[in-house]
């Protein structure tokens, strides 16, 4: 099976984020594989181990994304491709990302493409479905289980806590949801092997694209942090007094009564 994973390098939202001039400050920020893409890498490796073939991990990014690609190779992916837009593009949006990926997949015979359900930084959840539409293949989002038998694919997907069962066929694109698997940590031998695995680097030119072809259709006007939360108030004393004080606060301070 020809298995592809779409992987995005994202900043770690568990870490403190600083915003400077309407942009997220990259200096000092921690960067990781988008967590949903880790599920995609893990599932791709499992599918390959069961059905044979190879796993290629693809990212659009800058030179620094090589680190996250090497991590995916250390987990067990076979090949990586970095589509490096550093010299060509300053801005991009979902249109840009999908247009580049569409050109990349033009001459590939992908049986299955696995993406994350959503990127934790920009969280549009658009890239997977939009790419499938452009490639004219079926897609199933937020999957929590997948089994492939010949051309037939059985899938379970998370629908807000319920499970929906779907049958579809290859070639296919899926987006991966929490619960699909437990992504492995790269082992030491895996890390050593990853250094020798192929990592191809492409630029827009190699995909017969130029800047105008992929120009963003949207513009981010502003990015800002949520307002700081005020400290809560802890009421003390007898329950009766606390209730009276609470009612008074709700009426006079919060003005909700
Ligand atoms: C050249 C370029 C320049 C950019 N410049 C800026 C900028 O200046 N400011 C800014 O805020 N954003 C910038 N971006 C980021 C861009 O807006 C988002 O990466 C893109 O729109 C995807 O949206 P999302 O992150 O919400 O992805 P989602 O649709 O939420 O992601 C879902 C899944 O799609 C796949 N995916 C998403 N992005 C990529 C990727 N890059 N490579 C491989 N797979 C991917 C992953 O599997 C991911 O889990 C740029 C992107 C590109 C390509």
């Amino acid at each position: 099976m020809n298995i592809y994973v779409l992987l995005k390098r994202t900043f770690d939202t568990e870490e403190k984020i600083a915003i400077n001039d309407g942009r997220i400050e990259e200096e000092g920020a921690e960067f990781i594989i988008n967590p949903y893409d880790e599920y995609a890498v893990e599932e791709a490796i499992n599918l390959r181990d069961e059905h044979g073939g190879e796993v290629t991990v693809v990212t659009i990014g800058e030179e620094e994304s090589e680190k996250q690609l090497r991590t995916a190779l250390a987990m067990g992916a076979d090949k990586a491709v970095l589509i490096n837009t550093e010299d060509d593009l300053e801005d991009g949006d979902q249109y840009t990302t999908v247009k580049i990926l569409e050109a990349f997949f033009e001459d590939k015979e992908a049986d299955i493409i696995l993406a994350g359900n959503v990127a934790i930084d920009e969280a549009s959840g658009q890239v997977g479905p939009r790419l499938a539409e452009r490639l004219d293949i079926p897609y199933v989002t937020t999957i929590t289980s997948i089994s492939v038998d010949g051309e037939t694919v059985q899938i379970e997907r998370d629908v807000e806590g319920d499970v929906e069962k779907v049958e579809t066929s290859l070639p296919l694109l899926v987006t991966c949801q929490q619960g699909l698997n437990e992504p492995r940590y790269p082992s030491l031998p895996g890390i050593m092997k990853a250094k020798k695995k192929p990592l191809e680097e492409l630029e827009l030119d190699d995909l017969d694209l130029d800047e105008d072809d992929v120009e963003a259709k949207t513009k981010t006007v502003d990015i800002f942090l949520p307002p700081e939360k005020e400290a809560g108030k802890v009421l003390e004393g007898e329950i009766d007094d606390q209730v009276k004080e609470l009612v008074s606060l709700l009426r006079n301070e919060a003005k909700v009564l």
Side-chain angles (χ1 to χ4, degrees), residues 53-161:
E54 61 179 17
V55 175
T56 307
V57 187
V58 187
T59 197
I60 302 168
E62 304 184 348
E63 205 67 45
E64 288 80 22
S65 310
E66 198 180 315
K67 188 166 171 233
Q68 284 70 35
L69 288 174
R70 289 278 174 215
T71 304
L73 291 172
M75 286 171 76
D78 301 287
K79 296 197 291 189
V81 179
L82 167 61
I83 304 172
N84 192 338
T85 53
E86 202 164 354
D87 296 337
D88 296 321
L89 299 174
E90 259 185 44
D91 282 320
D93 64 1
Q94 295 80 357
Y95 176 82
T96 314
T97 304
V98 172
K99 191 83 184 159
I100 296 171
L101 289 171
E102 181 189 0
F104 171 77
F105 280 105
E106 199 170 46
D107 61 351
K108 311 282 181 300
E109 294 209 346
D111 293 304
I112 183 158
I113 302 172
L114 297 102
N117 162 39
V118 74
I120 58 163
D121 52 1
E122 284 165 65
S124 70
Q126 292 189 24
V127 168
R130 281 176 76 154
L131 177 64
E133 280 296 317
R134 298 303 307 166
L135 299 178
D136 200 20
I137 58 173
Y139 66 88
V140 184
T141 55
T142 59
I143 72 157
T144 51
S145 155
I146 181 167
S147 74
V148 179
D149 184 6
E151 296 289 294
T152 310
V153 186
Q154 305 287 346
I155 287 175
E156 287 182 2
R157 59 185 300 266
D158 170 40
V159 274
E160 301 273 325

